[in-house]
């Protein structure tokens, strides 16, 4: 039995020596591979940082671009809405004129009076046409006064013509 134990001890020593030699050999190879990996990782990391910087610049430019585009679109939509309001006001003036033609002067005066506020506000929006738009207040008041007195001798031709001209000037 002693012989078996001695054989096992010798075998264990041989295997241990073999494993130590193998581990040392592999350890040096692994160490070299780690060094090689570190050498190849550094340039990749530098490239990654460079790309990250470029991505941040692109993101900043895209954000700026989107903001500019959204602002421009919002302004265009607002302009279209303001033009639509002025066009609707022109329709109201035509409606008032139609009521006048039917000799419904008081109703016509009320419809025309409702058109004053949008015309005044349009003067705030279309600053280049503000004087012309606000200049319509007196003629509108004159027409309303005459129509409230059942006098159908005046019409809104001058007012309508002025608004049509302004709409032609401001249409995008």
């Amino acid at each position: 039995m002693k012989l078996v134990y001695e054989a096992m001890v010798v075998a264990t020593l041989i295997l241990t020596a073999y494993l130590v030699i193998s581990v040392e050999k592999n350890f040096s190879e692994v160490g070299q591979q780690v060094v090689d990996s570190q050498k190849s990782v550094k340039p990749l990391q530098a490239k990654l940082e460079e790309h990250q910087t470029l991505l941040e610049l692109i993101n900043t430019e895209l954000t700026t671009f989107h903001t500019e585009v959204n602002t421009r679109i919002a302004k265009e939509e607002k302009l279209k809405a303001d033009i639509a309001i002025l066009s609707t006001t022109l329709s109201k003036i035509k409606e008032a004129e139609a009521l006048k033609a039917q000799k419904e002067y008081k109703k016509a005066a009320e419809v025309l009076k409702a058109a004053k506020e949008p015309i005044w506000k349009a003067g705030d929006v279309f600053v280049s046409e503000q004087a012309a738009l606000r200049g319509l207040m007196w003629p509108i008041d004159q027409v309303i006064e005459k129509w409230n007195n059942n006098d159908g001798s005046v019409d809104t031709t001058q007012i309508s013509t002025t608004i049509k001209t302004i709409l032609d000037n401001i249409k995008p």
Side-chain angles (χ1 to χ4, degrees), residues 119-120 129-140 158-159 162:
I119 292 171
W120 184 267
E129 303 293 339
Q130 187 177 59
L133 288 165
R134 299 225 167 131
L136 294 174
M137 295 299 117
W138 187 77
I140 290 172
Q158 175 209 4
I159 299 165
T162 302

Side-chain angles (χ1 to χ4, degrees), residues 73-92:
I73 289 171
K75 285 180 182 178
E76 289 174 2
E77 293 299 319
K78 173 86 169 94
L79 178 64
K80 287 177 184 178
D82 291 334
I83 290 171
I85 290 170
L86 196 56
S87 294
T88 303
T89 304
L90 182 61
S91 298
K92 287 285 185 190

Side-chain angles (χ1 to χ4, degrees), residues 4 24-25 30 49 54 65 71 85 155-156 161 163 166:
V4 173
E24 277 188 35
K25 181 180 175 189
V30 168
E49 289 172 3
L54 288 173
F65 175 73
T71 302
I85 290 170
D155 64 14
T156 58
T161 304
I163 292 175
I166 290 170

